[in-house]
Amino acid sequence: MIPAFLGLAGPVLGEAERSFFRSADPAGYILFKRNCVDRAQLRALTDTLRSLAGRDDLPILIDQEGGRVQRMAPPIWPRLPAAEPFARLYEKAPISAMEAARLNALAIASMLREVGINVDCLPLLDVRRPDADAIIGDRALGADPMQVASLGRLVLDGLREGGVVGVVKHIPGHGRAMADSHKTLPVVTASDAELADDIRPFERLNDAPMAMTAHVVFTAWDADRPASQSPIVIGDIIRGRIGFDGLLMSDDLGMHALSGDFGARAANAIAAGTDIALHCSGDLAEMEAVAGALGPIGEAARARLDRAMATIVGAAPADSFEDLVAKRDALLALA
């Protein structure tokens, strides 16, 4: 098994993909809108991936946040709210907002488990900043670190109750970035004291099963490398100061924040202390470069992966999706 989560080109596996995946044996997969046609197709695809890997607990990831980021989208799947309505409700009724966030996450888990997906890249713990780039914006759970942590905890709980592993992102925080890391490399010049607010939600949720790093340079910690490729940020800040000991994956290696060939991008992320290199495009040549640059997954990373997937063994939603959404909407209406 190699320490990579890889994307797929389309709604079914091609023969070249199938052969490559069988040989490379990635630790897991990530799905996008191009892979999601309808319920029957998507369930068949996830069943195929598990059969190919020979692992019932194979991590199959998706970004199903709601709002602007929803890979399983209408008209086949219902539209989900962004994080902002939960943040607004929290300002009036914190307990109601937390319960609404839990119900929403449980409803998302119900959607995902129906089609064989068991990991959601949610919640964002990025603290919203009004003067920052809009890439976070309404995806954030608020501008107060403790509010973000409180709502984020209930999102993790709801996903887990529904049998889905949550991924906190983008550790150690993307909220101050003045640029979109999909397009270019953001450089944050805030001081260490100022960044204490950004990492506080991650400190409070440092027992999360999985986390995704940020392709952001923090000059107070490492002026030369983005957090996702910095042994200083990963070792001293994420593992040390934040105290996160779950499975740590990079953000997508295909984002324009990074430079160099894909093999180097993957190798640099793993060498810095990341457990899993994430590659999303489904481009076979790029995936071959990633796989060629990686050795077998390390013992510590494999243990973290197994531990994360074990958190959802036997879990499943007790209520229907419709009932969960009705309860969620009744609470959101209070705002």
Side-chain angles (χ1 to χ4, degrees):
M1 181 192 300
I2 62 169
F5 291 156
L6 301 178
L8 317 175
V12 296
L13 287 186
E15 286 306 313
E17 276 183 314
R18 188 183 298 266
S19 176
F20 167 70
F21 290 146
R22 186 180 292 113
S23 172
D25 190 21
Y29 297 90
I30 185 165
L31 304 180
F32 284 80
K33 192 173 182 178
R34 65 180 181 269
N35 310 120
C36 305
V37 175
D38 57 40
R39 290 173 176 83
Q41 167 271 327
L42 192 47
R43 183 72 209 208
L45 179 59
T46 58
D47 286 347
T48 297
L49 292 173
R50 287 196 170 85
S51 176
L52 191 65
R55 287 181 275 146
D56 290 337
D57 65 347
L58 176 75
I60 300 179
L61 291 70
I62 199 166
D63 289 288
Q64 192 74 354
E65 297 178 14
R68 290 178 285 152
V69 182
Q70 182 172 340
R71 312 307 187 194
M72 294 163 57
I76 302 300
W77 289 278
R79 189 174 304 281
L80 297 164
E84 188 172 54
F86 302 95
R88 287 200 305 266
L89 179 58
Y90 191 95
E91 295 172 3
K92 290 186 174 183
I95 300 302
S96 296
M98 291 165 67
E99 177 63 3
R102 186 189 71 85
L103 291 167
N104 185 61
L106 193 49
I108 292 174
S110 177
M111 293 176 67
L112 301 187
R113 287 303 296 247
E114 180 185 23
V115 293
I117 296 170
N118 55 8
V119 181
D120 193 8
C121 298
L122 192 71
L124 273 74
L125 299 186
D126 305 305
V127 178
R128 188 171 186 174
R129 305 285 174 181
D131 56 343
D133 187 87
I135 186 59
I136 299 300
D138 64 356
R139 299 166 65 197
L141 289 166
D144 176 75
M146 291 301 97
Q147 173 180 321
V148 172
S150 297
L151 290 171
R153 171 65 68 189
L154 272 295
V155 173
L156 280 178
D157 288 351
L159 290 173
R160 187 187 67 250
E161 290 171 35
V164 170
V165 176
V167 180
V168 297
K169 59 186 187 184
H170 303 82
I171 197 169
H174 205 298
R176 290 182 189 270
M178 301 300 292
D180 179 355
S181 55
H182 294 86
K183 301 174 181 178
T184 190
L185 178 61
V187 177
V188 170
T189 58
S191 68
D192 179 80
E194 291 171 321
L195 291 171
D197 277 347
D198 300 68
I199 67 173
R200 191 163 290 120
F202 296 102
E203 290 175 317
R204 292 289 294 270
L205 274 68
N206 65 5
D207 58 346
M210 295 186 181
M212 180 185 292
T213 58
H215 295 322
V216 176
V217 169
F218 298 93
T219 59
W221 298 328
D222 187 340
D224 300 319
R225 292 163 293 196
S228 54
Q229 296 186 338
S230 169
I232 297 170
V233 176
I234 292 173
D236 296 350
I237 305 301
I238 295 176
R239 296 299 192 193
R241 187 160 156 192
I242 291 173
F244 176 73
D245 191 36
L247 185 83
L248 184 65
M249 70 187 78
S250 71
D251 206 342
D252 179 20
L253 298 177
M255 292 163 65
H256 294 299
L258 301 184
S259 59
D261 64 69
F262 282 90
R265 295 182 190 193
N268 289 341
I270 299 300
T274 306
D275 293 317
I276 298 288
L278 177 68
H279 181 273
C280 297
S281 73
D283 182 284
L284 186 56
E286 292 176 3
M287 292 191 292
E288 287 173 340
V290 168
L294 300 177
I297 191 170
E299 289 185 13
R302 180 60 189 267
R304 291 182 181 119
L305 176 64
D306 292 344
R307 189 168 71 234
M309 300 312 297
T311 62
I312 57 169
V313 172
D319 297 325
S320 70
F321 176 84
E322 291 76 16
D323 286 345
L324 293 165
V325 166
K327 294 175 184 176
R328 175 201 71 193
D329 290 347
L331 291 169
L332 288 179
L334 298 174

